Amino acid sequence: MDGVTPTAHALLAEIFGFDGFRPMQEEIVTAVTGGEDTLAILPTGGGKSLCFQLPALLRPGLTVVISPLIALMRDQVRALRASGVAAGALTSGNTENETDAVFRDLHDGKLKLLYMAPERLASGGTERLLAQAGVSLLAVDEAHCVSQWGHDFRPDYLRIGALRRALDVPLAAFTATADTETRDEIVTRLFGGTQPRTFLGGFDRPNIHLAFAPKNKPREQILSFAAARKGRSGIVYCGTRAKTETLAMALTNAGHTALAYHAGMEPDQRRIVEQRFQTDDGLIVVATVAFGMGIDKPDIRWVAHADLPKSIEAYYQEIGRAGRDGDPAETLTLYGSDDIRFRRMQIDESLAPPERRMADHGRLNALLGLAEALGCRRQKLLAYFEETCEPCGLCDLCNTPPETFDGTEPVMKALSAVLRTGESFGVGHLTDILIGNATEKVRQRGHDQLPTFGVGQDIGRGQWAAVFRQMMGHDLVRPDPERHGALRITHAAKPILKGEEPITLRKDSFESAPRRRPAQTMVSDEDAPLLSALKAKRRALAEAQRAPAYVIFPDRTLIEMAEKRPKTLDDMAGISGVGAKKLERYGQTFLEVIAGEAVATPHPARRKLAGRAAGDTYDRLLAAQAELARGADGTGKPMSCSASLLAKVAALGPNAADKLDQLLGDRLAERFGPAFAEILAET
Ligand code: ADP
Ligand code: ZN
């Protein structure tokens, strides 16, 4: 490098292809490069990896990265190598050859970054190996794994402290988990109790859209949310194992590629799902919370909760799996009275000590408060983490402020029905009393004689369900753990009962629920075919390397290519995400795709399909056809299908192998049949 120290900025552009730092990255990079002990707490997707990768390149010697996420390590090593960085990994996922190569490179002093699974630390030789390899920096990813109280605890993480002392090098620790207990434990166990330079990056995930909806035909709600995001990777979280299976089936029947995942499945089966989710484009996994740690896909575009999560922390973590790459991502959380009852019971029936159960009810209350919020959800969510923000404009309530009404009177009526029936009944029976429905049960108990009987006729049963749900959400009534489903009045209800405090409720607006158009990560209609062609090229390259697509280029980079349409390698170098090495490797290939598509304005047959799923299929068929124009080996006679033929093929849908061959005829079927069939199978 001509004796000049490369600056962080230059390397940022040259190696990673980024124009600038994300918030806090620069400060962290400077501290870590300067050899300070550091602890950085950045939200998921905040760009932590760069904060040790860049210092590793700026410092002499070797940086050792410890991480529990094997798939992530492999991807990062691959991505670094693709960018021309000497990186290697020692994990249980290695082949013998890979491990030998890493040892050779270590011995020759060739490596700049060595990723290591924590299990490695347990083997005796590791410390010696690292001491000889000239380690100058230790980086610890997912540092909260040293916490014995968290559910991600890794016993081998406890060895890191000793390793740091033995090597006597600076340590940089990274995590997205920031509660003070975990932070203190990290300082004790990794830094020997001496407070490192600490960076706290804030909790906001500004690219994630937040939305909640009361359950109302929940399966349809999930199906329509998924339908509007077809072809994009997403996770649906469910409360039970059985539901993951049925919902995955329903999504599959609706034409998605969806797989179930839960802790009751065979480990092999689970690994297959994890693997496919990581590498496939546009897969949906329908899972219990068992699908969590270990998923490290940066381009998950949406997360839906088919059932209410157990706490506000769980909610934050689960939606936080979306949009790690910083591009727009969307979430939807469904909830209903049954969920609230179920979560309360779960806490009451747990074996935790009473203080803990009380705290758990509090965390659930915080989530319910968020669900029934009347103003910006982000403000409410961040407030829980003691942060403030302006109304965000990127949540359902900012988009469509809820209709509210003074709920004091109905709530007082409902509370009085609860009291007069001895706090012994559930929502159904209480509603019957309120609307004056003299059922057998009501008459038997003489509840048709109560003064509250029929006082709530002015609003219907559905509205009462919403009132009771919100009363549970505000923790005015709670299901009694001793008596299944019976509601008891809490302290919080007292001021309302006494008429000292009013309460504002939301009108559930099922009918008018505005369908949010999933705009994001999208390009104009004009650029859409090019984007599809670029994605097809990326998929082909990724498959050839058996790597996830984003290792080649992230979506954002392809979108920028589709919009700016670079014509030369110089133009290409200006696209964010295209570093020097990737430019050299893929620049020309993608330029050709752009040049090929730029002249071809969409055929009318394609334009008719614009915005429909078949349009995407059409574009993929077109891209496949371009690949095979001269046959698989590139030496055949040029062949192509007419645009209207392609449009017909696109409309075939899956399971139409026979019709496909008929439609194409022998000659075209021979050249394109298998590739087309594969594309159709995925529609
Ligand atoms: P974290 O580990 O904090 O969850 P990552 O390190 O995986 O986050 O980064 C998330 C995404 O952000 C990656 O796709 C990464 O390439 C991208 N990224 C990181 N830093 C920058 C930057 N300065 N400019 C643009 N993209 C960035
Ligand atoms: Zn908002």
Side-chain angles (χ1 to χ4, degrees), residues 213-229 243 247 250-251 254 256 304 306 332 334 515:
K215 285 188 182 175
N216 177 33
K217 301 194 190 132
R219 175 180 295 207
E220 282 169 34
Q221 287 172 296
I222 295 291
L223 285 174
S224 89
F225 188 75
R229 289 151 189 85
K243 198 171 193 175
L247 206 47
L251 284 161
H256 301 274
L332 173 67
L334 300 183
R515 280 264 166 81

Side-chain angles (χ1 to χ4, degrees), residues 245 259-277 283 285 291:
E245 310 263 357
L259 299 173
Y261 183 104
H262 56 74
M265 284 164 40
E266 294 294 322
D268 282 354
Q269 211 49 41
R270 285 164 62 180
R271 222 162 296 129
I272 290 173
V273 177
E274 286 166 4
Q275 182 69 31
R276 279 197 59 188
F277 188 61
L283 189 72
V285 173
F291 194 59

Side-chain angles (χ1 to χ4, degrees), residues 209-210 375-380 389-399:
H209 185 271
L210 307 174
C376 176
R377 292 206 201 270
R378 196 172 310 272
Q379 279 185 325
K380 190 122 186 162
C389 72
E390 294 298 306
C392 71
L394 205 68
C395 72
D396 54 345
L397 297 180
C398 279
N399 302 146

Side-chain angles (χ1 to χ4, degrees), residues 395-411:
C395 72
D396 54 345
L397 297 180
C398 279
N399 302 146
T400 323
E403 264 188 83
T404 59
F405 64 98
D406 180 358
T408 316
E409 197 185 301
V411 168

Side-chain angles (χ1 to χ4, degrees), residues 68 141-148 152-155 157 186 293:
D141 207 358
E142 314 290 340
H144 61 278
C145 290
V146 291
S147 162
Q148 303 199 16
D152 294 336
F153 177 54
R154 294 295 179 113
Y157 261 56
I186 292 174
M293 182 81 176

